[in-house]
Amino acid sequence: MAKELKLYLGPNHPGMHGNFSVHMYVEGDKIIKTRPLPGMLHRGFEKLMERRLWMNNLALIPRICVPEPDINEMVYAMGIEALGNIEIPERAHWIRMLILELARISNHLMSLGGIGGPTGLYTGPNWAMADRDLILDIFEEITGARVYHMYIVPGGVRKDLPEGIENKIIEYLDYLEKRMPEYEDLILKNPMIQKRTKDEIMLPEEVVWELGVTGIGMRSATGKPYDIRKVDPYARYDQVEFDVPTATYSDAYTRLSIKYQEIFQSIKILRQVIDKMPEGEVRTKISRGNALRWKVPAGQVFSHIECARGEYGYYIVSDGGDKPYRIAVRGASYPQGLLGVEKYLPGHRIEDAAIWLDTMGVCAPEIDR
């Protein structure tokens, strides 16, 4: 009988932030059992939110997914606005889309380049992180911060765009559009990447439905263009044109390819947003007294958006007080990050585990939240 060993993948490895790790029991180089450990860096967000004032949570929630923090600000604000029947200014809708699509590109660049870590193609993450850093420069100019922005707030956005930022964004989009064929040559056309990802780490359609996988995982396996921006539009996504890339063969390579294609769609959306964005106010005043002690009307709501990993939502319950009574986070990568790791990562080889996590889009705090 082969000897069973316990190995640790993590806590630091490509495609994953925080101190998430996977405990793998192996025989030879084959994984026979796995257990994901989200770690203790980012955890317990739901209970933390229930013990803080509605406005205090704005500084906490972006940390639920660090590579794409703005999605948390958006679903949280949307939920509060629905409970309070708050109408936000038209310009704020378009600015929110601008922030969300820049964050989406940022996340896809990190994941696309991150495949270079477990495959030995270190030029990939070097390029991708450098190009992502240019987006963080834009965020810093808009919000004053590079990673956690606290910019999308109930009632709109915290402040208007700085003068001239639209031109800087267009310059970046022009640069990235010209840069993308180089990523295709470096990663998607690379024989080494193809050998490691084609026909590997499959996500069959039946597994998608079993686990409840959304986003690229679902669209690459089923061919269904299910995207919350299309099926249940928020902000002003119903006023811009874009396509939803799909496939019917979900191996690791296909998922990488769709991430690559989606960057072009986000560029397309951003150009339309800048072209169509109206002038006007950017925030509706929601409190006449102490904004920190502002109370949200009693009720319950589920708000959801499309993030880079799939459907992302908050179920919020208010009892009419100055704190949330209950909040539950529907993390987009929870199905594949917890159930998928435990049930479908076994059977793969040790060297494929990091590729599995990267192409499945696992974000650790969405699991133990």
Side-chain angles (χ1 to χ4, degrees):
M1 177 181 288
K3 185 177 181 181
E4 180 182 297
L5 298 175
K6 184 178 181 180
L7 299 180
Y8 297 85
L9 176 66
N12 298 307
H13 55 82
M16 181 63 61
H17 69 281
N19 56 351
F20 181 97
S21 63
V22 177
H23 288 192
M24 303 186 299
Y25 297 83
V26 303
E27 289 182 356
D29 57 6
K30 184 179 180 181
I31 303 169
I32 59 172
K33 186 171 67 174
T34 55
R35 179 182 174 220
L37 293 177
M40 300 183 69
L41 176 62
H42 294 85
R43 69 183 307 176
F45 286 99
E46 294 171 341
K47 286 304 174 187
L48 287 171
M49 283 189 271
E50 293 163 14
R51 286 160 173 75
R52 284 163 171 74
L53 301 174
W54 291 98
M55 288 303 176
N56 288 154
N57 282 325
L58 294 175
L60 173 69
I61 55 178
R63 290 159 174 81
I64 300 180
C65 190
V66 181
E68 196 182 13
D70 308 273
I71 55 175
N72 292 280
E73 299 174 15
M74 185 65 176
V75 291
Y76 185 69
M78 287 170 58
I80 292 175
E81 288 156 6
L83 289 171
N85 197 27
I86 300 168
E87 293 289 336
I88 76 170
E90 183 65 17
R91 181 173 173 82
H93 283 298
W94 294 87
I95 295 178
R96 286 178 169 186
M97 290 169 62
L98 186 80
I99 297 296
L100 291 173
E101 291 304 313
L102 284 171
R104 188 180 186 86
I105 293 175
S106 171
N107 189 95
H108 279 337
L109 282 174
M110 178 180 287
S111 182
L112 191 66
I115 198 65
T119 57
L121 183 66
Y122 295 111
T123 304
N126 288 339
W127 281 13
M129 294 304 288
D131 286 341
R132 177 180 178 269
D133 211 51
L134 299 176
I135 295 180
L136 302 189
D137 290 343
I138 293 172
F139 279 144
E140 184 175 20
E141 189 162 348
I142 294 174
T143 71
R146 297 179 68 78
V147 179
Y148 302 129
H149 307 131
M150 288 76 80
Y151 183 70
I152 298 175
V153 298
V157 295
R158 181 158 46 88
K159 60 181 180 179
D160 206 347
L161 297 174
E163 185 177 351
I165 194 64
E166 294 90 345
N167 292 332
K168 292 183 180 179
I169 295 173
I170 290 294
E171 288 177 7
Y172 176 75
L173 298 180
D174 291 342
Y175 160 78
L176 185 61
E177 219 162 25
K178 294 177 181 178
R179 178 81 153 144
M180 291 306 292
E182 296 182 21
Y183 280 105
E184 183 178 19
D185 290 338
L186 176 69
I187 298 173
L188 297 180
K189 293 182 178 180
N190 189 309
M192 178 179 66
I193 298 293
Q194 292 183 4
K195 185 175 180 61
R196 292 290 305 278
T197 60
K198 279 192 173 182
D199 301 319
E200 298 289 342
I201 314 173
M202 301 298 297
L203 183 63
E205 182 174 355
E206 60 270 20
V207 175
V208 167
W209 301 133
E210 175 194 350
L211 297 182
V213 176
T214 57
I216 288 175
M218 185 196 70
R219 294 192 290 269
S220 63
T222 67
K224 298 182 183 299
Y226 183 87
D227 186 310
I228 305 300
R229 295 173 297 176
K230 288 281 191 181
V231 300
D232 189 13
Y234 49 95
R236 291 295 179 260
Y237 279 105
D238 56 344
Q239 297 183 27
V240 295
E241 296 179 2
F242 64 99
D243 299 319
V244 179
T246 63
T248 55
Y249 186 76
S250 187
D251 58 1
Y253 183 82
T254 302
R255 294 191 293 276
L256 281 175
S257 298
I258 290 185
K259 291 177 184 182
Y260 175 84
Q261 296 170 47
E262 285 199 352
I263 292 176
F264 286 101
Q265 297 305 316
S266 289
I267 292 173
K268 183 178 179 180
I269 292 172
L270 284 166
R271 292 190 187 280
Q272 293 175 76
V273 167
I274 292 173
D275 184 56
K276 295 183 178 182
M277 187 182 299
E279 297 295 329
E281 297 295 322
V282 298
R283 188 175 182 183
T284 298
K285 190 173 183 179
I286 60 174
S287 174
R288 295 182 179 178
N290 186 341
L292 286 178
R293 288 290 176 183
W294 175 64
K295 296 180 178 180
V296 173
Q300 55 185 320
V301 67
F302 179 72
S303 55
H304 64 164
I305 68 171
E306 186 75 23
C307 76
R309 295 165 309 287
E311 182 178 2
Y312 194 91
Y314 275 27
Y315 172 66
I316 304 175
V317 180
S318 173
D319 61 0
D322 58 8
K323 301 181 183 69
Y325 176 75
R326 183 72 177 97
I327 289 186
V329 178
R330 196 280 179 193
S333 63
Y334 181 88
Q336 60 268 37
L338 178 62
L339 301 176
V341 166
E342 291 185 343
K343 188 171 182 179
Y344 292 106
L345 182 54
H348 291 87
R349 292 164 59 93
I350 296 171
E351 65 269 24
D352 290 334
I355 298 177
W356 201 100
L357 292 167
D358 180 58
T359 62
M360 292 290 185
V362 179
C363 190
E366 293 179 359
I367 299 168
D368 189 10
R369 70 276 185 277

